[in-house]
Amino acid sequence: MLRAISFLTLALAVSPAAAVTIDGRVTASTYAFDNSLTDSTSSVDLHSYTALRLQVSDLGHRALSLTTYVRGTLERAESTEDNPAAQFYNLFLRFNNRYADVRVGRQHVFAGVGAGTIDGARLDLKRFGVGLTAFGGALMPVDGYAYGSLSDAYLWGLRLRTDRLLGVNVALSYADREREPTEYVSAGKFSGFIGQPQAIRRQLLGAEASRQ
């Protein structure tokens, strides 16, 4: 999904259209230290980190934009091979107008009892003081370096809200999430368990009320 979003964004950016607005920030840091392998030998380890925040607006349409935050790491050491990696914290296309806000890609969701980072979609609708949020997708892997898989972990839910109830903001939310635990390939230190633990599924229902 992330690769498809990148290709689509590039195609929209280079197509004949109105000016594209790009807003971003890049930060980088590097540090080195001596790593003592034994009492008589040592090596110099070098760690580099680069972070990119980017928002591209007006992608062929005034309401269409791309948002991403990615961090790259590179570790150089005499004792190990180089291991460059890129971790996407978010990367999503967004269509936003007066009535609808649609996001597709890797994104963080916080909607009542539904919270997490998913590779999926989110829809926000608002009209006449009533709002509806619907979302669903695969939960981001714990290490953040791969694509989420619905067979391993998922999150979906709804949130309905209104501010027309006697001046009180009221919301109801529901979320369904499940993650396949990591398999134990060796005995646990305390449990002695080996194998695949049972998946944990949570179905949550919440209610909110506030008055300004």
Side-chain angles (χ1 to χ4, degrees):
M1 176 181 290
L2 302 182
R3 187 175 302 174
I5 291 175
S6 300
F7 283 134
L8 178 59
T9 302
L10 179 61
L12 290 171
V14 300
S15 63
V20 175
T21 302
I22 300 177
D23 183 17
R25 182 178 67 182
V26 178
T27 57
S29 61
T30 302
Y31 67 93
F33 61 91
D34 289 331
N35 185 11
S36 298
L37 303 178
T38 65
D39 293 338
S40 59
T41 62
S42 64
S43 67
V44 177
D45 291 0
L46 179 68
H47 292 221
S48 298
Y49 299 92
T50 303
L52 170 66
R53 295 181 183 272
L54 185 67
Q55 182 169 350
V56 184
S57 306
D58 302 327
L59 284 172
H61 192 284
R62 183 173 299 179
L64 188 61
S65 64
L66 171 77
T67 299
T68 186
Y69 172 56
V70 57
R71 190 181 72 170
T73 60
L74 174 62
E75 298 180 2
R76 291 181 177 272
E78 296 179 8
S79 58
T80 60
E81 296 182 356
D82 297 346
N83 56 346
Q87 184 176 18
F88 284 88
Y89 289 88
N90 60 56
L91 174 61
F92 59 87
L93 282 172
R94 182 181 186 184
F95 181 87
N96 185 26
N97 61 19
R98 292 178 57 189
Y99 306 115
D101 186 355
V102 183
R103 307 182 189 192
V104 179
R106 176 164 292 182
Q107 58 194 288
H108 182 72
V109 173
F110 182 76
V113 294
T117 302
I118 62 172
D119 293 330
R122 170 175 174 163
L123 171 64
D124 289 279
L125 300 174
K126 185 175 182 180
R127 194 73 185 273
F128 304 121
V130 178
L132 173 66
T133 298
F135 57 89
L139 282 167
M140 183 182 75
V142 176
D143 59 12
Y145 290 108
Y147 305 113
S149 172
L150 289 173
S151 60
D152 295 333
Y154 67 83
L155 169 67
W156 72 271
L158 301 167
R159 183 171 183 261
L160 182 65
R161 62 193 183 279
T162 181
D163 56 5
R164 299 296 180 87
L165 190 61
L166 300 177
V168 178
N169 298 322
V170 178
L172 297 175
S173 59
Y174 170 81
D176 183 357
R177 64 181 297 157
E178 182 176 351
R179 184 182 290 277
E180 192 77 16
T182 303
E183 181 180 2
Y184 283 81
V185 296
S186 60
K189 182 177 180 180
F190 299 103
S191 65
F193 178 81
I194 300 177
Q196 179 68 53
Q198 185 177 0
I200 300 175
R201 182 183 181 188
R202 293 186 175 91
Q203 294 176 289
L204 306 173
L205 182 65
E208 308 163 52
S210 64
R211 186 183 182 92
Q212 296 181 348

